[in-house]
Amino acid sequence: MSRVVPPPPGALEARMADLTGRRVPFVKATVVRARRPASARPGDTALVLADGRIEGFVGGVCAEATVRVQALRTLRSGESLLLRISPEETADGTGEPVVEEGAVSVRNPCLSGGELEIFLEPLRPAPRVVVFGESPIARAVLAFGPALGYAITSVSGADALGARAPAGTRALVIASHGRDEERVLLAAVRAGVPYIGLVASPRRGAAVLAGLAHELDEEQRARVRTPAGLWIGARTPGEIALSILAEVVREVLSPSPPSPPAEAAEAAEAAEAAEAVVPVTVVDPVCGMDVVATEAGTPFSDAGGGRRRWFCCPSCREAYEKDPARYAQRQTRAQPEAGAS
């Protein structure tokens, strides 16, 4: 069997740089171990995009099906994973994936033999935090942000934000002490920024929001956190900045990481989508493998009527289309969304 030649390393590196520069999330999949007759070799690499497309080479179509499922889960969770793929039964004998800390072993009955170990590394854009204002509190937030790994940006001036917040903004902190607050609040709410914090006393903050009643409804005004920050008894600018960033982590970043945008919107504007559709995981009715129900690389068939069926490889699809009734009783089952263990 001739081996598929992977793309030149430089091509994938350039593609990674391009995606990173445009803040498009993806997973880097690298083969770290291969037992023959696997077609992949250690060092082979592919990129798994948020819509399920795979660029590069980490094995044949059956191996790709498993990589796609597990890569999208790591993209959602943000945690790297060692994926072990084998045609043999898993250690517990159930046929289900065996999950360990930092690793998962998956039985892939369609493999022609061999085993693969693939390291999956999710590469997501750093959370973007925008700070409006030039006050001591604003400067303190800017100082702390890089230490947290955030892409933090300072904006100021009457026309700084224009009609919308910068693409991909996860949090906006307004610390301008009354300067242009209303205009910036309107732009942030209308742009759907997940966290909007207004640095103000309870009394002044309430007055600012009341003044926007003719522009924003009650639900929209309720999205603005004022006074911004968790209550920790903060007094100094540094302490207040710490309380604000703690609230950003709690409300925006920790409970639900940013959903990966569709690759169809690879431009920077795609990164600001508040919610993106995570492909559903279903079962191949022929071999029983988990596959991702996406047209970006996963074979499917509408034969037999009823709902569409998805397959790990063209061979399983061909077997199904020859006799759909044989597999009609095999129900596809929805799996936990990407990122669930």
Side-chain angles (χ1 to χ4, degrees):
M1 174 179 171
S2 61
R3 179 171 180 261
V4 177
V5 179
L12 279 183
E13 291 173 2
R15 179 63 167 150
M16 289 175 59
D18 173 56
L19 294 173
T20 300
R22 289 186 287 111
R23 298 179 58 80
V24 176
F26 62 94
V27 176
K28 180 182 179 182
T30 305
V31 177
V32 295
R33 175 179 171 270
R35 191 185 75 181
R36 294 179 180 178
S39 57
R41 297 290 183 268
D44 285 347
T45 304
L47 308 182
V48 184
L49 307 180
D51 67 354
R53 277 189 283 167
I54 296 178
E55 300 179 5
F57 182 77
V58 286
V61 290
C62 294
E64 279 191 353
T66 300
V67 169
R68 181 179 290 111
V69 169
Q70 297 300 328
L72 292 181
R73 290 176 177 169
T74 67
L75 191 60
R76 183 69 176 175
S77 70
E79 298 180 357
S80 297
L81 180 73
L82 179 63
L83 171 63
R84 304 186 182 101
I85 309 175
S86 172
E88 300 173 1
E89 191 60 81
T90 51
D92 63 0
T94 66
E96 296 297 318
V98 175
V99 180
E100 309 169 65
E101 185 175 356
V104 61
S105 299
V106 178
R107 177 175 180 261
N108 186 323
C110 290
L111 289 183
S112 57
E115 294 179 352
L116 290 170
E117 292 189 8
I118 301 172
F119 184 68
L120 303 177
E121 180 185 9
L123 298 168
R124 307 187 303 182
R128 174 170 282 168
V129 178
V130 174
V131 180
F132 179 79
E134 299 177 336
S135 66
I137 293 173
R139 291 195 294 270
V141 173
L142 289 168
F144 289 155
L148 298 175
Y150 298 167
I152 193 157
T153 305
S154 173
V155 296
S156 61
D159 299 318
L161 290 186
R164 61 193 302 178
T169 299
R170 299 294 298 168
L172 173 66
V173 179
I174 302 171
S176 60
H177 292 304
R179 296 178 179 85
D180 296 312
E181 289 173 338
E182 293 84 356
R183 180 186 59 79
V184 176
L185 282 170
L186 284 173
V189 170
R190 289 169 177 169
V193 176
Y195 173 89
I196 305 169
L198 172 62
V199 177
S201 66
R203 184 173 181 177
R204 192 175 73 80
V208 171
L209 294 180
L212 294 174
H214 64 292
E215 297 279 359
L216 303 175
D217 59 32
E218 183 177 352
E219 183 178 352
Q220 289 174 316
R221 297 196 304 276
R223 292 187 49 230
V224 179
R225 304 303 179 90
T226 184
L230 301 179
W231 174 252
I232 59 173
R235 293 290 184 270
T236 68
E239 292 169 347
I240 295 172
L242 177 64
S243 74
I244 293 170
L245 288 171
E247 187 172 50
V248 170
V249 171
R250 188 188 71 175
E251 298 298 326
V252 179
L253 304 179
S254 288
S256 179
S259 299
E263 176 62 12
E266 289 182 328
E269 290 181 348
E272 71 181 325
E275 294 293 335
V277 176
V278 177
V280 174
T281 305
V282 296
V283 173
D284 182 324
V286 176
C287 67
M289 276 181 52
D290 288 349
V291 296
V292 175
T294 171
E295 295 181 25
T298 305
F300 63 87
S301 175
D302 295 317
R307 62 181 176 275
R308 175 169 290 180
R309 302 288 183 139
W310 304 86
F311 306 90
C312 72
C313 63
S315 295
C316 282
R317 178 176 60 188
E318 291 170 8
Y320 172 81
E321 290 180 338
K322 287 179 180 178
D323 189 5
R326 176 182 177 185
Y327 305 101
Q329 299 305 313
R330 257 190 200 183
Q331 299 295 317
T332 56
R333 67 181 185 274
Q335 298 295 310
E337 77 172 3
S341 60

